[in-house]
Amino acid sequence: QPWPTNPQIMHPVHDSTNTASAELQPWPEPAIPGVLKTPDIPCSILPGIWGEFAQAVSDNTQTPPAMAVLAALGVLATLLQGRYEIDLKSHREVLALWCVSVSASGTRKSAVMGEFQAPLLRWEKLVRDRMRRDIVSNEAVRSTTLKRIEGLKQAASKAKGDEIEAIRSEIEAEEMAMPDVMRAPTLFTEDTTPETMQRLVSDNRGRMAALSDEPGLFRILGGLYSKGGASLDIFLKGHVGSSLKVERESRSVFVERPCISLSLMCQPDLLADLAGSNQFRASGLMARFFYGVPQSTVGKRDVRQRHVIPMMTREAYEAA
């Protein structure tokens, strides 16, 4: 309906009836444009120690439970992907999970992610220390073998007749006896390029995860180091489990059922920029994430309260 030409201005009548009515009907919450309100995700949605530890981290950091729940799901995806598949009769699904917690700076993203990453980092260090001597020995054998092969090739340039055939046989024997590169297993990374992710997936039995409280991976995928934008194929294939076959001059990679899980934390402004990327939208990359937008607790924390994570809870989570 058109706006009236002479709108009637209503003045409040200050009597007891209106006052009582105003008290019974308080002002509603203001609707701020551009602010998305989402339901919270309670820690009780996770079973057992996973829910208990998520609640303990949320209380300790005075952050929304949704932030801890998504971090816990990222760790679970890191541990379970590639070990199980879901048979849906018509096809099979790998257990790759992509989730992102969207919150502004100062919301203690690093503190939450650090608590969940800690056991994975300790396990990696423990295994790396145990394998250190074997890795050094492997590298020594490979380097000396490569030097010997190089010397044989130089000798072959001056050889004649039967000598060349003998050198060829010796080079072949050296290459066949040379062990493969030995690397300590890696559970997850934080900041990597698509090319490095290909190697990580190949070196770690076809699975890899990215758990990060910083948006560095998003920036790289958005084309931080490449003018035309980074190649997204390795991530898209790792989400659905389709075979990865790369043949380049510098590397050759084949993984039958790759799995890549992502659990990232990102600022709203950066996510808005990424959502406007035609490359991200057309590939379906942004539609594969489970988004959590927890309400910020900045300005609402009580600095006098200390909720220490119980040692039994922490040890139970590390064991799980």
Side-chain angles (χ1 to χ4, degrees), residues 4-287:
T5 6
N6 298 313
Q8 184 180 4
I9 299 174
M10 304 297 291
H11 296 281
V13 180
H14 297 286
D15 58 15
S16 57
T17 309
N18 286 347
T19 306
S21 176
E23 290 175 356
L24 292 174
Q25 299 178 359
W27 285 97
E29 283 286 328
I32 304 174
V35 174
L36 178 65
K37 288 191 175 181
T38 58
D40 201 2
I41 306 174
C43 295
S44 57
I45 199 170
L46 298 175
I49 188 56
W50 295 92
E52 293 176 24
F53 187 73
Q55 187 64 61
V57 171
S58 177
D59 293 340
N60 174 258
T61 56
Q62 297 190 47
T63 53
M67 196 180 291
V69 170
L70 291 186
L73 287 174
V75 172
L76 279 167
T78 302
L79 302 175
L80 297 176
Q81 63 176 357
R83 299 179 65 184
Y84 300 94
E85 288 186 358
I86 302 173
D87 187 358
L88 299 174
K89 305 302 180 184
S90 59
H91 68 287
R92 298 172 73 89
E93 289 280 355
V94 296
L95 292 184
L97 173 69
W98 290 12
C99 58
V100 56
S101 181
V102 186
S103 54
S105 298
T107 50
R108 306 206 68 188
K109 297 187 290 292
S110 299
V112 174
M113 184 62 78
E115 290 289 354
F116 284 93
Q117 285 181 350
L120 306 183
L121 292 171
R122 278 194 287 273
W123 183 87
E124 284 187 355
K125 183 180 183 306
L126 178 65
V127 176
R128 194 179 303 114
D129 291 343
R130 287 176 178 173
M131 294 180 62
R132 182 175 177 275
R133 187 177 296 277
D134 293 334
I135 292 174
V136 171
S137 174
N138 172 267
E139 179 58 31
V141 172
R142 285 183 57 83
S143 61
T144 53
T145 303
L146 289 172
K147 284 290 185 183
R148 177 162 175 74
I149 291 173
E150 184 181 346
L152 288 170
K153 288 179 178 179
Q154 290 178 355
S157 62
K158 301 175 183 178
K160 296 179 180 180
D162 294 341
E163 292 182 1
I164 297 178
E165 189 60 36
I167 292 174
R168 285 175 182 169
S169 299
E170 198 170 349
I171 290 175
E172 182 181 352
E174 291 287 348
E175 288 185 344
M176 292 297 292
M178 184 169 58
D180 294 333
V181 178
M182 181 181 293
R183 292 189 177 94
T186 302
L187 292 175
F188 72 96
T189 183
E190 289 191 326
D191 193 347
T192 184
T193 62
E195 292 75 20
T196 304
M197 180 61 81
Q198 292 174 357
R199 179 185 63 78
L200 288 172
V201 170
S202 177
D203 290 346
N204 291 276
R205 298 183 181 180
R207 52 182 176 168
M208 183 47 53
L211 312 177
S212 178
D213 56 325
E214 296 294 341
L217 183 60
F218 273 143
R219 295 184 189 278
I220 291 172
L221 294 182
L224 179 63
Y225 300 122
S226 51
K227 294 181 180 179
S231 172
L232 307 177
D233 292 356
I234 175 61
F235 295 95
L236 299 176
K237 286 178 175 291
H239 183 267
V240 298
S242 61
S243 60
L244 171 68
K245 188 172 175 60
V246 178
E247 297 294 343
R248 298 284 177 87
E249 187 176 351
S250 58
R251 65 187 183 280
S252 178
V253 176
F254 174 70
V255 181
E256 189 174 359
R257 298 281 283 173
C259 289
I260 298 177
S261 288
L262 307 178
S263 179
L264 309 173
M265 292 182 171
C266 182
Q267 287 84 7
D269 293 343
L270 176 60
L271 194 65
D273 292 341
L274 296 174
S277 165
N278 290 330
Q279 183 189 17
F280 279 23
R281 286 206 313 272
S283 65
L285 184 134
M286 299 303 289

